[in-house]
Amino acid sequence: MKLSPNDTDLGDPITVTSNLLVLCTGSSPTTGPLPFTSPPLTELGLDPALNPPLLSKTLPSDIPITIAVIGASHSAILVLRNLCNLSASTHPSLRVKWFTRHPLRYAEERDGWIYQDNTGLKGDVAVWARENLEEDMLPFSPVSKILTKISTTKAKETEDYLKHLPTCTHVIQAIGFHANEIPVFERGGKNLEFKFNDRTGGFEDDEGAVVKGLYGAGIAWPERVTDPEGNVEHAVGLAKFMKFLQRVVPTWTSA
C-alpha cells in the first residue's frame, strides 16, 4: 500500500510504500453536549484533570469555584480524588458536584479470573471510593464537605444539568474515550470502508473480506474478551495490549 503524508515541515508530500501497515492512532477523551449556562462553564480537559500538579496550577485558588464532574469510570474517580485533595490543601474554596448515572463498579477477584476487569475500579482508587463515595459512607466522610453527589439517569440527566450546572463554574467530562480519526484509505480509486476485527487485530472491508496487510494496535483497537460468566468487554491497558499483540502478531502477514 502507499501512503502520502502531507507534512508542511517536510516540504513536498512524500510517498511511502509498504506491504504491511499497523495503525496505532490512539484515542481521545469523549465529551457530550451540555446545556448552556450563563456565564458559560469553563471546560477542563480530562487529561489535565488527571494530572494533579497541572490541575493545581490551572484552577484558581483565591476564589470560590464549583466543578461539575460527569462520569463514574476509573478516570472520573481519579479526578474526584484529585479535586478533593486540592480542596483539602491548596484550594480550600473548591467544591465539586458529581453527576453519575450508575452505582460504582469494582473489579472483583474470582476463581482464577477478575470480574469487571476492564470496567471496574481497582487498587487505591477502589479503596478511596469505597471509603468515601458509597451511599453509606459519603455522609460520614470528610469528602461530604467538598462533594455533592447527584444521581441521575440518561432520561433525566438534562433536567439535572439544567438544575445544577448554573451553580458551577467549571466542568470535567470523564465519560470515556473514542478512537482518533484515521487517514482516508483508497482502493481502486474509491474510498475504502473497513471495520476492525477485535479478535485478530486485522480489518475487513464492507463485504467481509480481509484487508491484506492492515492491522491495528493500542487503545484505539483493543481486543474483545468474554469472561467465564459471558460478560463482554474490551481489554484496555498497556499489559493487555501487549498480551493481545503477543497472540496475534505472529499471524499477521502482508499477503
Side-chain angles (χ1 to χ4, degrees):
M1 61 184 68
K2 291 184 178 180
L3 301 176
S4 298
N6 187 0
D7 189 331
T8 55
D9 292 336
L10 298 177
D12 295 333
I14 58 174
T15 297
V16 180
T17 301
S18 174
N19 292 325
L20 192 148
L21 174 65
V22 181
L23 297 177
C24 301
T25 43
S27 294
S28 298
T30 297
T31 58
L34 297 172
F36 176 78
T37 62
S38 181
L41 294 170
T42 298
E43 183 126 15
L44 300 173
L46 180 56
D47 288 337
L50 292 170
N51 183 329
L54 180 57
L55 185 61
S56 177
K57 294 178 181 178
T58 301
L59 296 174
S61 60
D62 56 346
I63 59 173
I65 58 174
T66 300
I67 302 177
V69 177
I70 300 172
S73 65
H74 192 88
S75 296
I77 306 309
L78 270 172
V79 170
L80 293 177
R81 187 174 69 168
N82 289 344
L83 293 172
C84 289
N85 287 341
L86 283 182
S87 181
S89 56
T90 57
H91 292 61
S93 297
L94 186 158
R95 297 294 179 266
V96 178
K97 289 194 173 184
W98 172 37
F99 296 79
T100 175
R101 286 185 184 176
H102 58 76
L104 292 171
R105 300 170 178 146
Y106 299 90
E108 300 175 11
E109 292 280 354
R110 298 288 173 89
D111 185 17
W113 61 285
I114 300 175
Y115 175 64
Q116 296 187 145
D117 187 26
N118 298 285
T119 57
L121 302 177
K122 296 179 179 179
D124 292 343
V125 173
V127 172
W128 186 84
R130 288 186 190 277
E131 293 177 349
N132 296 284
L133 299 181
E134 289 292 350
E135 294 289 346
D136 58 341
M137 299 299 290
L138 180 58
F140 307 101
S141 167
V143 166
S144 64
K145 299 177 182 179
I146 300 164
L147 180 147
T148 301
K149 179 180 178 181
I150 301 165
S151 296
T152 186
T153 64
K154 186 174 183 180
K156 68 185 289 284
E157 66 182 358
T158 298
E159 176 186 343
D160 287 329
Y161 289 157
L162 288 171
K163 179 179 179 181
H164 295 283
L165 287 181
T167 62
C168 299
T169 56
H170 299 70
V171 61
I172 300 169
Q173 297 192 57
I175 57 176
F177 292 79
H178 63 274
N180 291 333
E181 185 177 356
I182 63 173
V184 175
F185 287 78
E186 293 184 357
R187 183 171 63 183
K190 297 181 180 179
N191 286 356
L192 175 62
E193 302 293 336
F194 51 78
K195 62 181 180 180
F196 181 61
N197 184 320
D198 50 21
R199 295 299 299 162
T200 68
F203 291 87
E204 299 168 357
D205 63 21
D206 52 9
E207 296 180 354
V210 172
V211 179
K212 297 179 180 179
L214 183 63
Y215 301 93
I219 191 172
W221 315 105
E223 179 184 18
R224 184 181 63 176
V225 294
T226 304
D227 71 22
E229 293 184 2
N231 302 300
V232 177
E233 298 179 333
H234 281 96
V236 176
L238 180 59
K240 295 171 185 175
F241 300 152
M242 297 306 298
K243 182 180 178 181
F244 182 34
L245 291 175
Q246 288 171 348
R247 180 175 67 80
V248 297
V249 167
T251 69
W252 289 1
T253 64
S254 59

